Amino acid sequence: GAVVSQHPSWVICKSGTSVKIECRSLDFQATTMFWYRQFPKQSLMLMATSNEGSKATYEQGVEKDKFLINHASLTLSTLTVTSAHPEDSSFYICSADTRTGTVYQETQYFGPGTRLLVL
Amino acid sequence: RKEVEQDPGPFNVPEGATVAFNCTYSNSASQSFFWYRQDCRKEPKLLMSVYSSGNEDGRFTAQLNRASQYISLLIRDSKLSDSATYLCVVNKKGSARQLTFGSGTQLTVLP
């Protein structure tokens, strides 16, 4: 199956620091990637949809100036948590779906996640 | 009302038991349905897609009832390795590709 990687796998930073998380599709091209956040004991919540070469679309309640998304190539999307605060501490996961011709497949492939702890 | 609702559990069952999870969804126009499993501190992994006709994959059986907006997962002959959180997932309202996750049902299979 398709492989999605994330880097870093975990990060601890001081409050006010900006943190960049990378999501890469290793063996396929992803025109779209999805960013999720998961707090302890809660489910994954879609934050934004990252589109290669265009602006990301954000879910209601997610600040676009706080969570900057850049999808500059077909294999890389980045999420930058700007001026991180303790309440941003969470598990951030990206995913991508694959395409056969013009048809997107149902299955989404998830990266291993990035655990962020803001002190 | 949440878009996807699940019984959070936890379900603690002995090895070899049969266990069933249920899930309801609010968007009657949903088209894609899945069960994912998530191990502690890991990313979710697709267990199986769910179709109207029902589908089976080894010890796992998934059912979809569109009229009741209800999805189920049955695990037979539970193994220790089945211990995980099971996530009911439906495509997000208005989108074929964005996913909405239930809060998950925690399963522990006991020796």
Side-chain angles (χ1 to χ4, degrees):
Chain A
V3 178
V4 175
S5 71
Q6 273 184 252
H7 178 80
S9 54
W10 58 268
V11 59
I12 301 173
C13 68
K14 292 182 180 178
S15 188
T17 307
S18 291
V19 176
K20 180 187 280 189
I21 302 170
E22 294 185 348
C23 177
R24 292 182 186 274
S25 55
L26 297 186
D27 51 359
F28 67 101
Q29 294 182 332
T31 54
T32 305
M33 290 182 175
F34 305 93
W35 286 97
Y36 295 84
R37 179 168 55 181
Q38 185 176 33
F39 292 108
K41 304 286 187 186
Q42 296 185 27
S43 192
L44 279 75
M45 295 296 293
L46 180 66
M47 298 175 66
T49 301
S50 168
N51 303 296
E52 186 268 334
S54 65
K55 290 183 179 179
T57 54
Y58 291 81
E59 295 301 300
Q60 192 172 9
V62 178
E63 299 174 56
K64 62 180 182 180
D65 295 328
K66 169 79 173 175
F67 299 98
L68 300 179
I69 290 174
N70 184 284
H71 195 151
S73 79
L74 288 172
T75 59
L76 173 64
S77 174
T78 60
L79 168 70
T80 300
V81 184
T82 61
S83 186
H85 291 284
E87 59 266 28
D88 298 321
S89 299
S90 188
F91 189 40
Y92 292 86
I93 310 176
C94 69
S95 73
D97 49 16
T98 59
R99 192 171 60 178
T100 301
T102 58
V103 178
Y104 284 95
Q105 304 304 308
E106 276 191 332
T107 303
Q108 285 196 15
Y109 298 91
F110 285 81
T114 297
R115 217 159 275 285
L116 171 64
L117 177 61
V118 185
L119 302 176
Chain B
R1 183 185 172 188
K2 288 184 181 178
E3 287 188 58
V4 180
E5 295 208 55
Q6 291 182 252
D7 180 345
F11 284 62
N12 299 316
V13 303
E15 252 185 306
T18 295
V19 61
F21 303 138
N22 304 318
C23 166
T24 57
Y25 60 95
S26 62
N27 178 20
S28 60
S30 294
Q31 293 295 321
S32 301
F33 310 90
F34 312 91
W35 283 101
Y36 278 74
R37 90 170 254 168
Q38 186 175 26
D39 292 288
C40 188
R41 305 177 76 81
K42 299 282 190 181
E43 77 276 21
K45 292 188 188 294
L46 179 66
L47 183 63
M48 56 200 307
S49 300
V50 187
Y51 305 112
S52 296
S53 54
N55 47 303
E56 188 174 311
D57 182 2
R59 298 180 293 107
F60 299 85
T61 301
Q63 296 277 354
L64 168 64
N65 184 321
R66 284 186 183 273
S68 302
Q69 294 176 211
Y70 171 94
I71 307 165
S72 66
L73 176 69
L74 184 76
I75 304 175
R76 291 182 299 278
D77 189 23
S78 301
K79 310 290 184 192
L80 296 177
S81 57
D82 294 333
S83 297
T85 296
Y86 290 82
L87 304 170
C88 177
V89 183
V90 177
N91 68 286
K92 192 172 174 60
K93 187 174 184 177
S95 170
R97 296 168 62 204
Q98 294 172 323
L99 301 178
T100 297
F101 285 76
S103 54
T105 299
Q106 186 179 341
L107 171 67
T108 301
V109 181
L110 304 168

mmCIF file of all heavy atoms in Angstrom, chain A residues 54-79:
data_model
loop_
_atom_site.group_PDB
_atom_site.id
_atom_site.type_symbol
_atom_site.label_atom_id
_atom_site.label_comp_id
_atom_site.label_asym_id
_atom_site.label_seq_id
_atom_site.Cartn_x
_atom_site.Cartn_y
_atom_site.Cartn_z
ATOM 1 N N SER A 54 -2.275 25.346 -4.224
ATOM 2 C CA SER A 54 -3.321 26.319 -3.894
ATOM 3 C C SER A 54 -3.486 26.394 -2.382
ATOM 4 O O SER A 54 -2.844 25.671 -1.631
ATOM 5 C CB SER A 54 -4.638 25.942 -4.569
ATOM 6 O OG SER A 54 -5.125 24.721 -4.060
ATOM 7 N N LYS A 55 -4.368 27.280 -1.964
ATOM 8 C CA LYS A 55 -4.546 27.485 -0.526
ATOM 9 C C LYS A 55 -5.255 26.306 0.115
ATOM 10 O O LYS A 55 -6.117 25.672 -0.493
ATOM 11 C CB LYS A 55 -5.367 28.752 -0.281
ATOM 12 C CG LYS A 55 -4.632 30.037 -0.615
ATOM 13 C CD LYS A 55 -5.489 31.247 -0.283
ATOM 14 C CE LYS A 55 -4.746 32.544 -0.598
ATOM 15 N NZ LYS A 55 -5.576 33.730 -0.309
ATOM 16 N N ALA A 56 -4.908 26.078 1.355
ATOM 17 C CA ALA A 56 -5.591 25.032 2.110
ATOM 18 C C ALA A 56 -6.987 25.499 2.502
ATOM 19 O O ALA A 56 -7.252 26.697 2.601
ATOM 20 C CB ALA A 56 -4.789 24.703 3.368
ATOM 21 N N THR A 57 -7.867 24.544 2.707
ATOM 22 C CA THR A 57 -9.193 24.866 3.229
ATOM 23 C C THR A 57 -9.259 24.386 4.670
ATOM 24 O O THR A 57 -8.907 23.240 4.967
ATOM 25 C CB THR A 57 -10.306 24.214 2.393
ATOM 26 O OG1 THR A 57 -10.052 22.800 2.309
ATOM 27 C CG2 THR A 57 -10.338 24.785 1.002
ATOM 28 N N TYR A 58 -9.712 25.258 5.533
ATOM 29 C CA TYR A 58 -9.708 24.984 6.962
ATOM 30 C C TYR A 58 -11.103 24.665 7.465
ATOM 31 O O TYR A 58 -12.091 25.215 6.999
ATOM 32 C CB TYR A 58 -9.149 26.193 7.721
ATOM 33 C CG TYR A 58 -7.673 26.412 7.500
ATOM 34 C CD1 TYR A 58 -7.204 27.060 6.350
ATOM 35 C CD2 TYR A 58 -6.740 25.965 8.426
ATOM 36 C CE1 TYR A 58 -5.858 27.240 6.129
ATOM 37 C CE2 TYR A 58 -5.380 26.157 8.226
ATOM 38 C CZ TYR A 58 -4.944 26.793 7.078
ATOM 39 O OH TYR A 58 -3.594 26.975 6.875
ATOM 40 N N GLU A 59 -11.163 23.791 8.443
ATOM 41 C CA GLU A 59 -12.437 23.461 9.072
ATOM 42 C C GLU A 59 -12.845 24.605 10.005
ATOM 43 O O GLU A 59 -12.006 25.390 10.484
ATOM 44 C CB GLU A 59 -12.330 22.154 9.843
ATOM 45 C CG GLU A 59 -12.058 20.957 8.944
ATOM 46 C CD GLU A 59 -13.133 20.773 7.893
ATOM 47 O OE1 GLU A 59 -14.315 20.588 8.261
ATOM 48 O OE2 GLU A 59 -12.789 20.797 6.690
ATOM 49 N N GLN A 60 -14.111 24.654 10.265
ATOM 50 C CA GLN A 60 -14.636 25.693 11.144
ATOM 51 C C GLN A 60 -13.953 25.624 12.495
ATOM 52 O O GLN A 60 -13.798 24.537 13.075
ATOM 53 C CB GLN A 60 -16.142 25.493 11.302
ATOM 54 C CG GLN A 60 -16.855 26.652 11.949
ATOM 55 C CD GLN A 60 -18.363 26.482 11.909
ATOM 56 O OE1 GLN A 60 -18.880 25.428 11.548
ATOM 57 N NE2 GLN A 60 -19.077 27.511 12.278
ATOM 58 N N GLY A 61 -13.540 26.773 12.975
ATOM 59 C CA GLY A 61 -12.914 26.836 14.292
ATOM 60 C C GLY A 61 -11.401 26.665 14.281
ATOM 61 O O GLY A 61 -10.769 26.807 15.323
ATOM 62 N N VAL A 62 -10.828 26.369 13.130
ATOM 63 C CA VAL A 62 -9.375 26.223 13.029
ATOM 64 C C VAL A 62 -8.804 27.509 12.453
ATOM 65 O O VAL A 62 -9.183 27.936 11.365
ATOM 66 C CB VAL A 62 -8.995 25.026 12.130
ATOM 67 C CG1 VAL A 62 -7.473 24.917 12.005
ATOM 68 C CG2 VAL A 62 -9.579 23.743 12.680
ATOM 69 N N GLU A 63 -7.892 28.130 13.191
ATOM 70 C CA GLU A 63 -7.341 29.427 12.764
ATOM 71 C C GLU A 63 -6.288 29.227 11.680
ATOM 72 O O GLU A 63 -5.231 28.630 11.929
ATOM 73 C CB GLU A 63 -6.702 30.130 13.953
ATOM 74 C CG GLU A 63 -7.644 30.435 15.100
ATOM 75 C CD GLU A 63 -6.858 31.008 16.278
ATOM 76 O OE1 GLU A 63 -6.159 32.009 16.077
ATOM 77 O OE2 GLU A 63 -6.934 30.426 17.372
ATOM 78 N N LYS A 64 -6.525 29.769 10.523
ATOM 79 C CA LYS A 64 -5.575 29.586 9.422
ATOM 80 C C LYS A 64 -4.265 30.321 9.657
ATOM 81 O O LYS A 64 -3.220 29.917 9.145
ATOM 82 C CB LYS A 64 -6.198 30.019 8.092
ATOM 83 C CG LYS A 64 -6.581 31.468 8.031
ATOM 84 C CD LYS A 64 -7.183 31.806 6.672
ATOM 85 C CE LYS A 64 -7.530 33.269 6.579
ATOM 86 N NZ LYS A 64 -8.115 33.653 5.285
ATOM 87 N N ASP A 65 -4.302 31.404 10.428
ATOM 88 C CA ASP A 65 -3.064 32.130 10.697
ATOM 89 C C ASP A 65 -2.244 31.460 11.789
ATOM 90 O O ASP A 65 -1.060 31.752 11.956
ATOM 91 C CB ASP A 65 -3.379 33.564 11.106
ATOM 92 C CG ASP A 65 -4.020 34.339 9.978
ATOM 93 O OD1 ASP A 65 -3.699 34.048 8.802
ATOM 94 O OD2 ASP A 65 -4.856 35.219 10.260
ATOM 95 N N LYS A 66 -2.884 30.593 12.525
ATOM 96 C CA LYS A 66 -2.217 29.865 13.595
ATOM 97 C C LYS A 66 -1.587 28.573 13.053
ATOM 98 O O LYS A 66 -0.491 28.197 13.444
ATOM 99 C CB LYS A 66 -3.255 29.520 14.661
ATOM 100 C CG LYS A 66 -2.825 28.563 15.729
ATOM 101 C CD LYS A 66 -1.995 29.260 16.763
ATOM 102 C CE LYS A 66 -1.708 28.322 17.920
ATOM 103 N NZ LYS A 66 -0.799 28.955 18.883
ATOM 104 N N PHE A 67 -2.301 27.943 12.163
ATOM 105 C CA PHE A 67 -1.856 26.674 11.584
ATOM 106 C C PHE A 67 -1.635 26.890 10.087
ATOM 107 O O PHE A 67 -2.549 26.775 9.276
ATOM 108 C CB PHE A 67 -2.893 25.583 11.835
ATOM 109 C CG PHE A 67 -3.143 25.312 13.282
ATOM 110 C CD1 PHE A 67 -4.237 25.878 13.937
ATOM 111 C CD2 PHE A 67 -2.289 24.499 14.004
ATOM 112 C CE1 PHE A 67 -4.461 25.642 15.282
ATOM 113 C CE2 PHE A 67 -2.503 24.250 15.351
ATOM 114 C CZ PHE A 67 -3.598 24.823 15.993
ATOM 115 N N LEU A 68 -0.390 27.189 9.764
ATOM 116 C CA LEU A 68 -0.052 27.502 8.374
ATOM 117 C C LEU A 68 0.237 26.215 7.609
ATOM 118 O O LEU A 68 1.039 25.398 8.038
ATOM 119 C CB LEU A 68 1.179 28.419 8.329
ATOM 120 C CG LEU A 68 1.037 29.764 9.035
ATOM 121 C CD1 LEU A 68 2.344 30.541 8.936
ATOM 122 C CD2 LEU A 68 -0.109 30.567 8.454
ATOM 123 N N ILE A 69 -0.396 26.083 6.470
ATOM 124 C CA ILE A 69 -0.207 24.887 5.659
ATOM 125 C C ILE A 69 0.359 25.285 4.310
ATOM 126 O O ILE A 69 -0.120 26.221 3.662
ATOM 127 C CB ILE A 69 -1.539 24.135 5.487
ATOM 128 C CG1 ILE A 69 -1.950 23.508 6.820
ATOM 129 C CG2 ILE A 69 -1.418 23.056 4.404
ATOM 130 C CD1 ILE A 69 -3.313 22.859 6.799
ATOM 131 N N ASN A 70 1.388 24.543 3.912
ATOM 132 C CA ASN A 70 2.004 24.751 2.605
ATOM 133 C C ASN A 70 2.120 23.408 1.900
ATOM 134 O O ASN A 70 2.618 22.452 2.461
ATOM 135 C CB ASN A 70 3.396 25.380 2.782
ATOM 136 C CG ASN A 70 4.029 25.699 1.446
ATOM 137 O OD1 ASN A 70 4.519 24.823 0.739
ATOM 138 N ND2 ASN A 70 4.004 26.960 1.073
ATOM 139 N N HIS A 71 1.626 23.357 0.679
ATOM 140 C CA HIS A 71 1.659 22.101 -0.087
ATOM 141 C C HIS A 71 2.321 22.416 -1.413
ATOM 142 O O HIS A 71 1.665 22.539 -2.441
ATOM 143 C CB HIS A 71 0.217 21.605 -0.274
ATOM 144 C CG HIS A 71 0.116 20.187 -0.725
ATOM 145 N ND1 HIS A 71 -0.961 19.405 -0.401
ATOM 146 C CD2 HIS A 71 0.917 19.411 -1.473
ATOM 147 C CE1 HIS A 71 -0.817 18.200 -0.947
ATOM 148 N NE2 HIS A 71 0.313 18.195 -1.595
ATOM 149 N N ALA A 72 3.638 22.568 -1.347
ATOM 150 C CA ALA A 72 4.387 23.104 -2.488
ATOM 151 C C ALA A 72 4.703 22.066 -3.550
ATOM 152 O O ALA A 72 5.038 22.410 -4.678
ATOM 153 C CB ALA A 72 5.678 23.742 -1.989
ATOM 154 N N SER A 73 4.626 20.789 -3.210
ATOM 155 C CA SER A 73 4.917 19.767 -4.210
ATOM 156 C C SER A 73 3.919 18.630 -4.082
ATOM 157 O O SER A 73 3.123 18.594 -3.140
ATOM 158 C CB SER A 73 6.343 19.228 -4.045
ATOM 159 O OG SER A 73 6.398 18.290 -2.986
ATOM 160 N N LEU A 74 3.967 17.718 -5.015
ATOM 161 C CA LEU A 74 3.011 16.616 -5.021
ATOM 162 C C LEU A 74 3.317 15.555 -3.979
ATOM 163 O O LEU A 74 2.562 14.593 -3.828
ATOM 164 C CB LEU A 74 2.970 15.970 -6.415
ATOM 165 C CG LEU A 74 2.296 16.818 -7.485
ATOM 166 C CD1 LEU A 74 2.469 16.183 -8.856
ATOM 167 C CD2 LEU A 74 0.811 16.988 -7.190
ATOM 168 N N THR A 75 4.426 15.708 -3.265
ATOM 169 C CA THR A 75 4.770 14.705 -2.257
ATOM 170 C C THR A 75 5.002 15.298 -0.873
ATOM 171 O O THR A 75 5.354 14.580 0.058
ATOM 172 C CB THR A 75 6.043 13.931 -2.671
ATOM 173 O OG1 THR A 75 7.120 14.863 -2.823
ATOM 174 C CG2 THR A 75 5.826 13.160 -3.968
ATOM 175 N N LEU A 76 4.780 16.595 -0.724
ATOM 176 C CA LEU A 76 5.090 17.207 0.573
ATOM 177 C C LEU A 76 4.079 18.272 0.951
ATOM 178 O O LEU A 76 3.798 19.191 0.184
ATOM 179 C CB LEU A 76 6.489 17.838 0.534
ATOM 180 C CG LEU A 76 6.902 18.660 1.768
ATOM 181 C CD1 LEU A 76 6.992 17.772 3.000
ATOM 182 C CD2 LEU A 76 8.242 19.363 1.512
ATOM 183 N N SER A 77 3.558 18.130 2.152
ATOM 184 C CA SER A 77 2.744 19.176 2.753
ATOM 185 C C SER A 77 3.326 19.459 4.127
ATOM 186 O O SER A 77 3.781 18.551 4.814
ATOM 187 C CB SER A 77 1.283 18.702 2.890
ATOM 188 O OG SER A 77 0.517 19.664 3.598
ATOM 189 N N THR A 78 3.347 20.728 4.515
ATOM 190 C CA THR A 78 3.850 21.074 5.841
ATOM 191 C C THR A 78 2.783 21.824 6.624
ATOM 192 O O THR A 78 2.011 22.606 6.064
ATOM 193 C CB THR A 78 5.118 21.943 5.759
ATOM 194 O OG1 THR A 78 4.808 23.156 5.059
ATOM 195 C CG2 THR A 78 6.244 21.213 5.048
ATOM 196 N N LEU A 79 2.766 21.551 7.912
ATOM 197 C CA LEU A 79 1.893 22.251 8.853
ATOM 198 C C LEU A 79 2.787 22.960 9.846
ATOM 199 O O LEU A 79 3.621 22.322 10.486
ATOM 200 C CB LEU A 79 0.985 21.257 9.574
ATOM 201 C CG LEU A 79 0.203 21.784 10.784
ATOM 202 C CD1 LEU A 79 -0.879 22.758 10.330
ATOM 203 C CD2 LEU A 79 -0.439 20.633 11.554
#
